[in-house]
Amino acid sequence: MTSGVLEVENLTVQFGAVRALADVAFRVQPGTIHSVIGPNGAGKSSLLNVLSGVYRPQQGSVRWGGRELTGLRPDQITRLGVGRCFQNLSRRTDQTVLDSIMLGRHALMRHAVLAHGFALPVARREERVHRERVAEIAEFVDLSRLLHVPVAELSYGHQKKVDLARALASEPRLLLLDEPAAGMSSGEKRQITQLVRSVVASLGTTVLLVEHDMEMVMGLSDRITVLNFGRLISEGTPDEIQEDPAVVDAYLGQPAEDRR
Ligand SMILES: Nc1ncnc2c1ncn2[C@@H]1O[C@H](COP(=O)(O)OP(=O)(O)O)[C@@H](O)[C@H]1O
Ligand SMILES: [Mg+2]
């Protein structure tokens, strides 16, 4: 598992005639919250897909603690300590909360456990350790009392928290969040904001946050990168970003309901 600065350089991702990312470059300091904002189609999810190994860029590099991530498979990147939450929840809904969070532990499990299940004694011991850690993570995100409930029966906000817990279960040093507050009530938004804050404060995790809720973004971020049509149009502190005419013009000046 690695740690350190995240360095994105000259990143270009092309789908036919569409440039999802055009020569994008920025750095994220360890232990900080760095947000990426911009209108729908700006390239935010494509960026997270490159960082997590789902997309391969046509050009550019991503280094995390000095290691090149482009070219690695998603599972290799997870094992290096990069965890991810998804914009759209996949609904493997027959699973319990416990099983869903346990999925995040798979990245850390030995091959023997994955190949033979928990039948071997050594594997059973390992399973116990994993289950204890999952229980701690569930406690951390306030899902303890729902551990044995099928995910399908939970509210949307709780399902998003299960996805966060699943990502935390792989013990990430860098956590990628794609619109964690989308579709949440204002109470749930406050809770998830507090959770992200405590992940950074108590675990020292670095967070890369993609989000349309500007209260959350401006309240949480150390720095913000703004994308528009795949290009980086601004970068700075929340105060600098809110005053940048290019950002107001491309994004912040739009009515909130048109932003996503
Ligand atoms: N897998 C893909 N195939 C084709 N086009 C894609 C794919 N992923 C993203 N795009 C295109 O790239 C652009 C950026 O999309 P995306 O990264 O999802 O933006 P955002 O997350 O900022 O809304 C859009 O024009 C989108 O249609
Ligand atoms: Mg997106």
Side-chain angles (χ1 to χ4, degrees):
M1 221 173 262
T2 179
S3 189
V5 184
L6 176 72
E7 300 164 287
V8 173
E9 278 172 18
N10 310 112
L11 210 57
T12 296
V13 171
Q14 185 110 19
F15 297 102
V18 175
R19 280 212 150 176
L21 295 169
D23 208 21
V24 169
F26 63 94
R27 285 170 155 244
V28 180
Q29 295 303 323
T32 64
I33 302 179
H34 190 113
S35 291
V36 177
I37 63 172
N40 193 22
K44 306 177 300 292
S45 292
S46 296
L47 174 67
L48 295 195
N49 281 328
V50 171
L51 297 186
S52 54
V54 177
Y55 291 171
R56 291 208 173 180
Q58 271 72 21
Q59 255 188 66
S61 81
V62 174
R63 278 190 306 275
W64 161 239
R67 275 206 63 164
E68 182 62 45
L69 298 188
T70 58
L72 299 182
R73 294 190 311 267
D75 62 300
Q76 294 174 312
I77 292 177
T78 307
R79 269 197 295 278
L80 284 175
V82 180
R84 168 172 195 186
C85 288
F86 290 89
Q87 181 171 357
N88 300 306
L89 295 171
S90 70
R91 296 187 184 263
R92 287 281 312 275
T93 43
D94 48 325
Q95 281 178 327
T96 64
V97 171
L98 175 70
D99 292 338
S100 301
I101 303 176
M102 202 67 167
L103 273 183
R105 294 305 283 180
H106 284 177
L108 308 177
M109 286 181 193
R110 289 194 221 117
H111 289 301
V113 176
L114 292 174
H116 302 290
F118 291 118
L120 306 172
V122 58
R124 276 204 296 276
R125 267 198 301 283
E126 194 175 331
E127 184 194 20
R128 199 166 54 238
V129 172
H130 283 300
R131 281 186 186 270
E132 280 166 14
R133 183 65 184 129
V134 166
E136 279 173 17
I137 290 165
E139 176 86 43
F140 183 72
V141 302
D142 194 22
L143 284 174
S144 296
R145 72 205 150 77
L146 299 173
L147 269 182
H148 301 288
V149 176
V151 175
E153 292 174 18
L154 301 180
S155 69
Y156 183 73
H158 277 128
Q159 290 187 11
K160 295 281 269 193
K161 282 214 287 192
V162 173
D163 193 45
L164 175 64
R166 180 207 39 79
L168 289 176
S170 67
E171 312 288 357
R173 306 299 305 143
L174 171 64
L175 181 62
L176 312 174
L177 300 174
D178 200 352
E179 304 200 20
M184 285 192 163
S185 69
S186 53
E188 288 169 338
K189 278 181 190 172
R190 272 195 298 278
Q191 229 191 359
I192 200 96
T193 301
Q194 200 43 50
L195 264 178
V196 173
R197 208 175 260 135
S198 53
V199 166
V200 174
S202 61
L203 307 174
T205 312
T206 308
V207 171
L208 193 70
L209 171 69
V210 169
E211 181 51 55
H212 283 292
D213 187 275
M214 286 303 111
E215 200 180 319
M216 181 174 185
V217 167
M218 297 303 168
L220 275 179
S221 309
D222 295 293
R223 291 189 75 75
I224 301 172
T225 292
V226 189
L227 300 179
N228 193 27
F229 293 112
R231 296 193 172 278
L232 190 156
I233 60 165
S234 190
E235 207 206 294
T237 63
D239 284 347
E240 288 163 354
I241 290 303
Q242 286 176 96
E243 285 165 15
D244 184 338
V247 179
V248 173
D249 193 41
Y251 183 61
L252 292 179
Q254 312 296 318
E257 61 275 17
D258 292 348
R259 277 194 214 127
R260 56 211 60 222

